[in-house]
Amino acid sequence: GAVVSQHPSRVICKSGTSVKIECRSLDFQATTMFWYRQFPKQSLMLMATSNEGSKATYEQGVEKDKFLINHASLTLSTLTVTSAHPEDSSFYICSASPGLATDTQYFGPGTRLTVL
Amino acid sequence: AQSVTQPDIHITVSEGASLELRCNYSYGATPYLFWYVQSPGQGLQLLLKYFSGDTLVQGIKGFEAEFKRSQSSFNLRKPSVHWSDAAEYFCAVGEDSSNTGKLIFGQGTTLQVKP
């Protein structure tokens, strides 16, 4: 089956620093990747949609200058949380899709970010 | 705007008992509907999906779901629950209007299985 990896699985950083999270599709080409944020005991909230080679589309209320998304290849997307603050602490999940709207999204295991 | 409601935040069933997790959606056209399961330390795994055709959908791990347009529901069922089914379950609807593949998730239902 399709596998999506995320790295790191867990990261702790100081307030004001930047953190990069990688999302890789290991055995298929992902035309589209999605980034979600999940708060404890809550649902997944879509942050942005990224297509390979183009700028990400951010959901309303998500600061694009704070959450930088790069989708440089068909197997890699990165999310950089810039100048992180404690309120950015959350569980970040990526998913990857071969491309069609009706295609299944394959989810990574998530990254737990803690900002001190 | 599309929305998904999972009325039950937490459900406890005994091992071997039947299970039904509820999901209601709000969407103008025929929705694309999904059920995912999230286990600790693992990514969301697709259990089943409905796009069109037969309204009773079979999935992995013995799960099935039935699309009922009249009730705007897509409930997940399993005839006999195993202890390994304890996890978080999410219903989602695909936002097709913009053909982006975006998913809108329900709040999730935590399933606890008693021995």
Side-chain angles (χ1 to χ4, degrees):
Chain A
V3 179
V4 175
S5 69
Q6 276 185 247
H7 179 79
S9 58
R10 187 182 296 268
V11 58
I12 301 172
C13 69
K14 293 182 179 180
S15 185
T17 61
S18 294
V19 174
K20 179 184 285 188
I21 302 170
E22 291 187 351
C23 177
R24 293 181 184 273
S25 58
L26 299 184
D27 50 5
F28 68 99
Q29 292 187 328
T31 304
T32 306
M33 285 186 169
F34 302 86
W35 286 95
Y36 296 85
R37 184 173 179 176
Q38 185 180 30
F39 292 99
K41 302 299 182 182
Q42 293 189 32
S43 186
L44 282 75
M45 299 296 294
L46 180 65
M47 298 175 65
T49 303
S50 75
N51 292 291
E52 186 266 338
S54 61
K55 291 184 178 181
T57 302
Y58 290 81
E59 295 299 301
Q60 192 172 9
V62 177
E63 299 176 61
K64 62 180 181 180
D65 294 329
K66 181 167 189 62
F67 299 99
L68 301 179
I69 292 172
N70 182 276
H71 192 163
S73 76
L74 286 172
T75 59
L76 173 64
S77 176
T78 59
L79 167 67
T80 301
V81 183
T82 62
S83 187
H85 291 284
E87 58 265 30
D88 299 322
S89 299
S90 192
F91 195 54
Y92 293 88
I93 301 173
C94 74
S95 71
S97 169
L100 295 177
T102 55
D103 277 338
T104 296
Q105 289 186 30
Y106 299 96
F107 285 80
T111 296
R112 173 74 61 192
L113 170 63
T114 302
V115 185
L116 302 177
Chain B
Q2 298 93 326
S3 66
V4 179
T5 302
Q6 294 179 245
D8 305 304
I9 296 174
H10 191 279
I11 282 183
T12 300
V13 299
S14 298
E15 189 168 17
S18 63
L19 170 71
E20 182 170 33
L21 302 182
R22 295 184 292 165
C23 172
N24 294 98
Y25 66 90
S26 172
Y27 189 68
T30 299
Y32 300 149
L33 294 162
F34 305 80
W35 273 101
Y36 283 88
V37 60
Q38 184 181 35
S39 299
Q42 299 182 26
L44 274 74
Q45 182 181 22
L46 180 68
L47 289 175
L48 46 80
K49 59 185 178 182
Y50 171 79
F51 288 166
S52 63
D54 192 347
T55 56
L56 184 62
V57 181
Q58 301 298 321
I60 63 171
K61 302 184 179 184
F63 286 93
E64 67 177 26
E66 186 170 12
F67 170 61
K68 293 185 177 179
R69 184 188 299 276
S70 61
Q71 299 177 19
S72 297
S73 69
F74 189 57
N75 295 347
L76 182 71
R77 301 192 295 250
K78 186 169 185 178
S80 178
V81 171
H82 189 263
W83 63 266
S84 60
D85 292 324
E88 188 81 13
Y89 291 80
F90 291 96
C91 181
V93 62
E95 186 192 85
D96 182 54
S97 58
S98 56
N99 201 35
T100 61
K102 289 166 55 174
L103 295 178
I104 297 170
F105 284 85
Q107 302 92 316
T109 298
T110 301
L111 174 64
Q112 184 178 2
V113 180
K114 294 190 300 184

